[in-house]
């Protein structure tokens, strides 16, 4: 009997430990039930309570811990008497500072551009409405995101700051101003729909919850329909990406966001058996030995004009040894000339459509390429 009691106690202790280590299953302030607002994102949990919404962000670099917890309380409501530990954010946000063009574009999708009072890295902002406001002096340019202009931030006095967190990175004086810093770790999700689902957090922050839910449902449905269209094509062209940089060629890891997109678009990726979620540095010969016969080669570049086969061979002659080079199956995306980085994080269905059309053109004969274009001679 004592052994049975000891065994039951041990099982209970193990279950309690697992619950405490998994932020998506924690409940606070008497809440019951699991997270029901987020289904694809691994790093984001949203639990609704009667008087506030509990948003927990898992630490991407140590998933047994929380990166940050936010307690969203309606702006006009009294602050609840009892709240768990976390950063209180009054919603909807009315005048925020947004560091990234990615999140600015997502807020444009939600119709919340008027809630952005300032931005960082204005040179990378492509949203016409924001550029017009900046030119008219109605949008604060807070300077470089790695070292924002404190005086301009103080002048703006935002009700929150949205930024992308980095491992072991502090926020200096910005972090000591008493302004809620919302650490948007969406870029560290490893699934396309997981990252896109962070639009729900933006919807909650900016009073656009219904719009965010509706938009994500459309994205999810379209993504899954496209995935199903190419699941039984009978062929899976081998695809590689990017270029050599210095002595290394950085390929997406086998568990990365891009590897998942390649697979969902009906492609075969040579490093699908790799366990990394980030980029993996490879020697040129390693890439050639495993993927020299790749059918399709995708390259992203910024502001280099029209990429051509001639320029590619001039840059590094051994590129011409690849099958995709010989058969002219290389496609380039000039991110300075299109909204690849602004659109695709929260609209993975658009990128999946592009890749599916490149991999299986017979299935999408009328599709017009949006991001990638064939290299010129």
């Amino acid at each position: 009997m004592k052994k049975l009691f000891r065994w039951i106690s041990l099982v209970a202790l193990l279950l309690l430990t697992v619950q405490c280590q998994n932020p998506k299953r924690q409940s606070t302030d008497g809440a019951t039930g699991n997270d029901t607002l987020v289904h694809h994102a691994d790093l984001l949990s949203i639990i609704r309570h009667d008087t506030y919404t509990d948003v927990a962000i898992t630490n991407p670099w140590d998933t047994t811990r929380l990166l940050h917890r936010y307690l969203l309380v309606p702006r006009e409501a009294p602050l609840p008497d009892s709240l768990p530990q976390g950063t209180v954010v009054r919603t909807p946000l009315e005048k925020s500072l947004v560091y990234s063009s990615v999140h600015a574009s997502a807020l444009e999708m939600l119709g919340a551009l008027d809630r952005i009072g300032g931005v960082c890295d204005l040179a990378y902002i492509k949203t016409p409405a924001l550029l017009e406001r900046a030119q008219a002096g109605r949008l604060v340019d807070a300077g470089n995101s790695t070292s924002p202009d404190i005086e301009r931030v103080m002048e703006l006095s935002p009700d929150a700051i949205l930024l992308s967190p980095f491992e072991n990175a502090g926020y200096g004086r910005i972090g000591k101003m008493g302004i809620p810093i919302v650490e948007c770790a969406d870029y560290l999700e490893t699934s396309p729909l997981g990252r896109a689902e962070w639009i729900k957090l933006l919807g909650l922050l900016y009073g656009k919850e219904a719009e965010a839910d509706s938009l994500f449902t459309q994205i999810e449905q379209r993504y899954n329909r496209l995935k199903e269209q190419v699941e039984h094509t009978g062929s899976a062209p081998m695809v590689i990406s990017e270029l050599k940089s210095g002595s290394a060629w950085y390929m997406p890891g086998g568990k990365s966001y891009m590897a998942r997109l390649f697979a969902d678009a009906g492609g075969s990726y040579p490093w699908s058996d790799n366990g990394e979620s980030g980029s993996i540095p490879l020697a040129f010969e390693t890439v050639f030995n495993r993927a020299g016969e790749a059918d399709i080669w995708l390259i992203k570049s910024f502001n280099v004009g029209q990429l051509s086969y001639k320029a590619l061979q001039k840059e590094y002659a051994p590129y011409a040894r690849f099958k995709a080079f010989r058969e002219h199956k290389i496609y380039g995306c000039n991110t300075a000339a299109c909204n690849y980085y602004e659109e695709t994080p929260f609209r993975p269905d658009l990128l999946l459509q592009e890749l599916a059309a490149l991999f299986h053109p017979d299935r999408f004969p009328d599709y017009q390429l949006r991001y990638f274009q064939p290299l010129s001679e």
Side-chain angles (χ1 to χ4, degrees), residues 193 219-229 352:
L193 287 177
I219 292 168
E220 180 185 38
Q221 291 175 348
R222 186 166 185 264
Y223 189 100
N224 288 331
R225 280 199 305 270
L226 287 165
K227 182 181 173 182
E228 290 171 4
Q229 279 183 264
L352 184 67

Side-chain angles (χ1 to χ4, degrees), residues 223-285:
Y223 189 100
N224 288 331
R225 280 199 305 270
L226 287 165
K227 182 181 173 182
E228 290 171 4
Q229 279 183 264
V230 298
E231 276 182 345
H232 306 293
T233 56
S235 64
M238 186 189 300
V239 57
I240 59 173
S241 65
E242 311 316 333
L243 296 169
K244 189 172 77 74
S245 177
S247 62
W249 190 326
Y250 291 90
M251 282 287 180
K255 301 300 181 184
S256 69
Y257 181 94
M258 283 308 303
R260 177 71 170 270
L261 272 164
F262 292 156
D264 289 349
S268 170
Y269 183 53
W271 285 272
S272 61
D273 59 346
N274 174 271
E276 298 293 325
S277 58
S279 296
I280 48 176
L282 301 169
F284 176 85
E285 288 302 327

Side-chain angles (χ1 to χ4, degrees), residues 181-204:
I181 294 178
V182 181
E183 298 185 280
C184 299
D186 54 279
Y187 79 100
L188 292 163
E189 294 283 350
T190 57
S191 75
L193 287 177
R195 183 174 191 182
E197 197 167 28
W198 281 66
I199 197 97
K200 294 180 179 180
L201 173 57
L202 297 180
L204 287 168

Side-chain angles (χ1 to χ4, degrees), residues 69-87:
R69 166 166 272 125
Y70 301 96
L71 311 171
L72 312 187
V73 180
R75 184 175 293 277
E76 302 303 326
L79 199 65
D81 293 332
S82 178
L83 284 174
Q85 186 174 3
T87 299

